[in-house]
PDB file of all heavy atoms in Angstrom:
ATOM      1  N   GLY U  26       8.574  12.520 -32.829  1.00 81.00           N
ATOM      2  CA  GLY U  26       9.471  12.280 -31.710  1.00 81.00           C
ATOM      3  C   GLY U  26       8.794  11.835 -30.431  1.00 81.00           C
ATOM      4  O   GLY U  26       7.903  10.984 -30.437  1.00 81.00           O
ATOM      5  N   THR U  27       9.223  12.420 -29.357  1.00 85.00           N
ATOM      6  CA  THR U  27       8.730  12.053 -28.035  1.00 85.00           C
ATOM      7  C   THR U  27       7.219  12.184 -27.940  1.00 85.00           C
ATOM      8  O   THR U  27       6.539  11.298 -27.423  1.00 85.00           O
ATOM      9  CB  THR U  27       9.362  12.962 -26.975  1.00 85.00           C
ATOM     10  OG1 THR U  27      10.769  12.909 -27.120  1.00 85.00           O
ATOM     11  CG2 THR U  27       8.990  12.491 -25.605  1.00 85.00           C
ATOM     12  N   THR U  48       1.867  -4.226 -17.674  1.00 87.00           N
ATOM     13  CA  THR U  48       2.379  -5.302 -18.513  1.00 87.00           C
ATOM     14  C   THR U  48       1.652  -5.386 -19.845  1.00 87.00           C
ATOM     15  O   THR U  48       2.257  -5.715 -20.870  1.00 87.00           O
ATOM     16  CB  THR U  48       2.247  -6.644 -17.774  1.00 87.00           C
ATOM     17  OG1 THR U  48       2.727  -6.473 -16.453  1.00 87.00           O
ATOM     18  CG2 THR U  48       3.060  -7.705 -18.464  1.00 87.00           C
ATOM     19  N   ARG U  58      11.043  -1.746 -20.517  1.00 85.00           N
ATOM     20  CA  ARG U  58      10.335  -1.388 -19.279  1.00 85.00           C
ATOM     21  C   ARG U  58      10.599   0.037 -18.840  1.00 85.00           C
ATOM     22  O   ARG U  58       9.682   0.806 -18.570  1.00 85.00           O
ATOM     23  CB  ARG U  58      10.780  -2.297 -18.141  1.00 85.00           C
ATOM     24  CG  ARG U  58      10.383  -3.714 -18.261  1.00 85.00           C
ATOM     25  CD  ARG U  58      11.132  -4.525 -17.206  1.00 85.00           C
ATOM     26  NE  ARG U  58      10.251  -5.395 -16.465  1.00 85.00           N
ATOM     27  CZ  ARG U  58       9.703  -6.489 -16.958  1.00 85.00           C
ATOM     28  NH1 ARG U  58       9.951  -6.816 -18.221  1.00 85.00           N
ATOM     29  NH2 ARG U  58       8.919  -7.250 -16.247  1.00 85.00           N
ATOM     30  N   HIS U  62       7.828   2.991 -18.556  1.00 87.00           N
ATOM     31  CA  HIS U  62       7.484   3.447 -17.220  1.00 87.00           C
ATOM     32  C   HIS U  62       7.582   4.963 -17.109  1.00 87.00           C
ATOM     33  O   HIS U  62       6.702   5.617 -16.568  1.00 87.00           O
ATOM     34  CB  HIS U  62       8.400   2.779 -16.198  1.00 87.00           C
ATOM     35  CG  HIS U  62       7.956   2.996 -14.792  1.00 87.00           C
ATOM     36  ND1 HIS U  62       8.540   3.926 -13.974  1.00 87.00           N
ATOM     37  CD2 HIS U  62       6.961   2.438 -14.086  1.00 87.00           C
ATOM     38  CE1 HIS U  62       7.931   3.909 -12.806  1.00 87.00           C
ATOM     39  NE2 HIS U  62       6.973   3.025 -12.839  1.00 87.00           N
TER      40      HIS U  62
ATOM     41  P    DT M   7       2.702 -11.177 -15.124  1.00 90.01           P
ATOM     42  OP1  DT M   7       1.259 -11.220 -15.388  1.00 90.01           O
ATOM     43  OP2  DT M   7       3.682 -11.191 -16.223  1.00 90.01           O
ATOM     44  O5'  DT M   7       2.984  -9.898 -14.217  1.00 90.01           O
ATOM     45  C5'  DT M   7       2.310  -9.764 -12.972  1.00 90.01           C
ATOM     46  C4'  DT M   7       2.818  -8.549 -12.240  1.00 90.01           C
ATOM     47  O4'  DT M   7       4.142  -8.800 -11.732  1.00 90.01           O
ATOM     48  C3'  DT M   7       2.930  -7.286 -13.110  1.00 90.01           C
ATOM     49  O3'  DT M   7       2.123  -6.265 -12.543  1.00 90.01           O
ATOM     50  C2'  DT M   7       4.411  -6.923 -13.069  1.00 90.01           C
ATOM     51  C1'  DT M   7       4.873  -7.606 -11.793  1.00 90.01           C
ATOM     52  N1   DT M   7       6.320  -7.948 -11.778  1.00 90.01           N
ATOM     53  C2   DT M   7       7.091  -7.519 -10.727  1.00 90.01           C
ATOM     54  O2   DT M   7       6.648  -6.871  -9.808  1.00 90.01           O
ATOM     55  N3   DT M   7       8.421  -7.888 -10.802  1.00 90.01           N
ATOM     56  C4   DT M   7       9.018  -8.632 -11.795  1.00 90.01           C
ATOM     57  O4   DT M   7      10.210  -8.904 -11.754  1.00 90.01           O
ATOM     58  C5   DT M   7       8.149  -9.051 -12.868  1.00 90.01           C
ATOM     59  C7   DT M   7       8.693  -9.849 -14.000  1.00 90.01           C
ATOM     60  C6   DT M   7       6.856  -8.689 -12.812  1.00 90.01           C
ATOM     61  P    DG M   8       1.907  -4.901 -13.322  1.00 90.01           P
ATOM     62  OP1  DG M   8       0.550  -4.430 -13.020  1.00 90.01           O
ATOM     63  OP2  DG M   8       2.352  -5.096 -14.711  1.00 90.01           O
ATOM     64  O5'  DG M   8       2.928  -3.930 -12.590  1.00 90.01           O
ATOM     65  C5'  DG M   8       2.764  -3.679 -11.206  1.00 90.01           C
ATOM     66  C4'  DG M   8       4.011  -3.041 -10.634  1.00 90.01           C
ATOM     67  O4'  DG M   8       5.137  -3.911 -10.875  1.00 90.01           O
ATOM     68  C3'  DG M   8       4.396  -1.679 -11.239  1.00 90.01           C
ATOM     69  O3'  DG M   8       4.435  -0.729 -10.193  1.00 90.01           O
ATOM     70  C2'  DG M   8       5.766  -1.910 -11.856  1.00 90.01           C
ATOM     71  C1'  DG M   8       6.268  -3.104 -11.077  1.00 90.01           C
ATOM     72  N9   DG M   8       7.273  -3.895 -11.765  1.00 90.01           N
ATOM     73  C8   DG M   8       7.141  -4.608 -12.933  1.00 90.01           C
ATOM     74  N7   DG M   8       8.233  -5.231 -13.296  1.00 90.01           N
ATOM     75  C5   DG M   8       9.144  -4.904 -12.304  1.00 90.01           C
ATOM     76  C6   DG M   8      10.501  -5.279 -12.144  1.00 90.01           C
ATOM     77  O6   DG M   8      11.193  -5.994 -12.873  1.00 90.01           O
ATOM     78  N1   DG M   8      11.054  -4.736 -10.985  1.00 90.01           N
ATOM     79  C2   DG M   8      10.384  -3.927 -10.101  1.00 90.01           C
ATOM     80  N2   DG M   8      11.073  -3.491  -9.040  1.00 90.01           N
ATOM     81  N3   DG M   8       9.127  -3.572 -10.228  1.00 90.01           N
ATOM     82  C4   DG M   8       8.568  -4.095 -11.350  1.00 90.01           C
ATOM     83  P    DT M   9       4.687   0.824 -10.559  1.00 90.01           P
ATOM     84  OP1  DT M   9       3.899   1.613  -9.621  1.00 90.01           O
ATOM     85  OP2  DT M   9       4.496   1.023 -12.012  1.00 90.01           O
ATOM     86  O5'  DT M   9       6.222   1.025 -10.194  1.00 90.01           O
ATOM     87  C5'  DT M   9       6.671   0.674  -8.889  1.00 90.01           C
ATOM     88  C4'  DT M   9       8.178   0.854  -8.779  1.00 90.01           C
ATOM     89  O4'  DT M   9       8.830  -0.152  -9.582  1.00 90.01           O
ATOM     90  C3'  DT M   9       8.703   2.199  -9.276  1.00 90.01           C
ATOM     91  O3'  DT M   9       9.288   2.876  -8.182  1.00 90.01           O
ATOM     92  C2'  DT M   9       9.723   1.848 -10.359  1.00 90.01           C
ATOM     93  C1'  DT M   9      10.048   0.399 -10.035  1.00 90.01           C
ATOM     94  N1   DT M   9      10.479  -0.429 -11.191  1.00 90.01           N
ATOM     95  C2   DT M   9      11.740  -0.937 -11.214  1.00 90.01           C
ATOM     96  O2   DT M   9      12.541  -0.752 -10.317  1.00 90.01           O
ATOM     97  N3   DT M   9      12.036  -1.693 -12.320  1.00 90.01           N
ATOM     98  C4   DT M   9      11.206  -1.969 -13.379  1.00 90.01           C
ATOM     99  O4   DT M   9      11.591  -2.659 -14.318  1.00 90.01           O
ATOM    100  C5   DT M   9       9.896  -1.409 -13.308  1.00 90.01           C
ATOM    101  C7   DT M   9       8.910  -1.638 -14.406  1.00 90.01           C
ATOM    102  C6   DT M   9       9.589  -0.668 -12.223  1.00 90.01           C
ATOM    103  P    DT M  10       9.922   4.321  -8.374  1.00 90.01           P
ATOM    104  OP1  DT M  10       9.813   5.036  -7.091  1.00 90.01           O
ATOM    105  OP2  DT M  10       9.373   4.905  -9.605  1.00 90.01           O
ATOM    106  O5'  DT M  10      11.457   3.986  -8.624  1.00 90.01           O
ATOM    107  C5'  DT M  10      12.210   3.388  -7.586  1.00 90.01           C
ATOM    108  C4'  DT M  10      13.629   3.110  -8.078  1.00 90.01           C
ATOM    109  O4'  DT M  10      13.582   2.214  -9.203  1.00 90.01           O
ATOM    110  C3'  DT M  10      14.403   4.353  -8.547  1.00 90.01           C
ATOM    111  O3'  DT M  10      15.600   4.460  -7.781  1.00 90.01           O
ATOM    112  C2'  DT M  10      14.690   4.084 -10.019  1.00 90.01           C
ATOM    113  C1'  DT M  10      14.624   2.559 -10.092  1.00 90.01           C
ATOM    114  N1   DT M  10      14.263   2.010 -11.414  1.00 90.01           N
ATOM    115  C2   DT M  10      15.101   1.115 -12.022  1.00 90.01           C
ATOM    116  O2   DT M  10      16.139   0.724 -11.520  1.00 90.01           O
ATOM    117  N3   DT M  10      14.676   0.662 -13.254  1.00 90.01           N
ATOM    118  C4   DT M  10      13.505   1.021 -13.902  1.00 90.01           C
ATOM    119  O4   DT M  10      13.224   0.551 -14.996  1.00 90.01           O
ATOM    120  C5   DT M  10      12.677   1.972 -13.215  1.00 90.01           C
ATOM    121  C7   DT M  10      11.393   2.432 -13.831  1.00 90.01           C
ATOM    122  C6   DT M  10      13.086   2.420 -12.017  1.00 90.01           C
ATOM    123  P    DT M  17      16.025   9.810 -32.335  1.00 90.01           P
ATOM    124  OP1  DT M  17      14.848   8.985 -32.523  1.00 90.01           O
ATOM    125  OP2  DT M  17      16.848  10.251 -33.493  1.00 90.01           O
ATOM    126  O5'  DT M  17      15.599  11.092 -31.501  1.00 90.01           O
ATOM    127  C5'  DT M  17      15.363  10.962 -30.094  1.00 90.01           C
ATOM    128  C4'  DT M  17      15.199  12.328 -29.476  1.00 90.01           C
ATOM    129  O4'  DT M  17      16.499  12.847 -29.110  1.00 90.01           O
ATOM    130  C3'  DT M  17      14.563  13.355 -30.407  1.00 90.01           C
ATOM    131  O3'  DT M  17      13.444  13.906 -29.753  1.00 90.01           O
ATOM    132  C2'  DT M  17      15.670  14.371 -30.648  1.00 90.01           C
ATOM    133  C1'  DT M  17      16.568  14.208 -29.441  1.00 90.01           C
ATOM    134  N1   DT M  17      18.018  14.493 -29.684  1.00 90.01           N
ATOM    135  C2   DT M  17      18.692  15.322 -28.803  1.00 90.01           C
ATOM    136  O2   DT M  17      18.164  15.828 -27.833  1.00 90.01           O
ATOM    137  N3   DT M  17      20.021  15.512 -29.110  1.00 90.01           N
ATOM    138  C4   DT M  17      20.712  14.977 -30.179  1.00 90.01           C
ATOM    139  O4   DT M  17      21.899  15.215 -30.349  1.00 90.01           O
ATOM    140  C5   DT M  17      19.943  14.120 -31.048  1.00 90.01           C
ATOM    141  C7   DT M  17      20.588  13.486 -32.229  1.00 90.01           C
ATOM    142  C6   DT M  17      18.656  13.928 -30.770  1.00 90.01           C
ATOM    143  P    DA M  18      12.505  14.950 -30.401  1.00 90.01           P
ATOM    144  OP1  DA M  18      11.125  14.550 -30.114  1.00 90.01           O
ATOM    145  OP2  DA M  18      12.941  15.202 -31.781  1.00 90.01           O
ATOM    146  O5'  DA M  18      12.811  16.247 -29.536  1.00 90.01           O
ATOM    147  C5'  DA M  18      12.669  16.164 -28.133  1.00 90.01           C
ATOM    148  C4'  DA M  18      13.339  17.332 -27.463  1.00 90.01           C
ATOM    149  O4'  DA M  18      14.738  17.365 -27.820  1.00 90.01           O
ATOM    150  C3'  DA M  18      12.771  18.683 -27.858  1.00 90.01           C
ATOM    151  O3'  DA M  18      12.657  19.488 -26.684  1.00 90.01           O
ATOM    152  C2'  DA M  18      13.789  19.238 -28.857  1.00 90.01           C
ATOM    153  C1'  DA M  18      15.088  18.618 -28.378  1.00 90.01           C
ATOM    154  N9   DA M  18      16.049  18.357 -29.441  1.00 90.01           N
ATOM    155  C8   DA M  18      15.828  17.684 -30.608  1.00 90.01           C
ATOM    156  N7   DA M  18      16.890  17.589 -31.377  1.00 90.01           N
ATOM    157  C5   DA M  18      17.871  18.243 -30.664  1.00 90.01           C
ATOM    158  C6   DA M  18      19.229  18.493 -30.930  1.00 90.01           C
ATOM    159  N6   DA M  18      19.848  18.088 -32.042  1.00 90.01           N
ATOM    160  N1   DA M  18      19.929  19.175 -30.006  1.00 90.01           N
ATOM    161  C2   DA M  18      19.322  19.574 -28.895  1.00 90.01           C
ATOM    162  N3   DA M  18      18.052  19.402 -28.529  1.00 90.01           N
ATOM    163  C4   DA M  18      17.380  18.718 -29.470  1.00 90.01           C
TER     164       DA M  18
END
Side-chain angles (χ1 to χ4, degrees):
Chain U
T27 306
T48 313
R58 292 169 131 72
H62 191 259

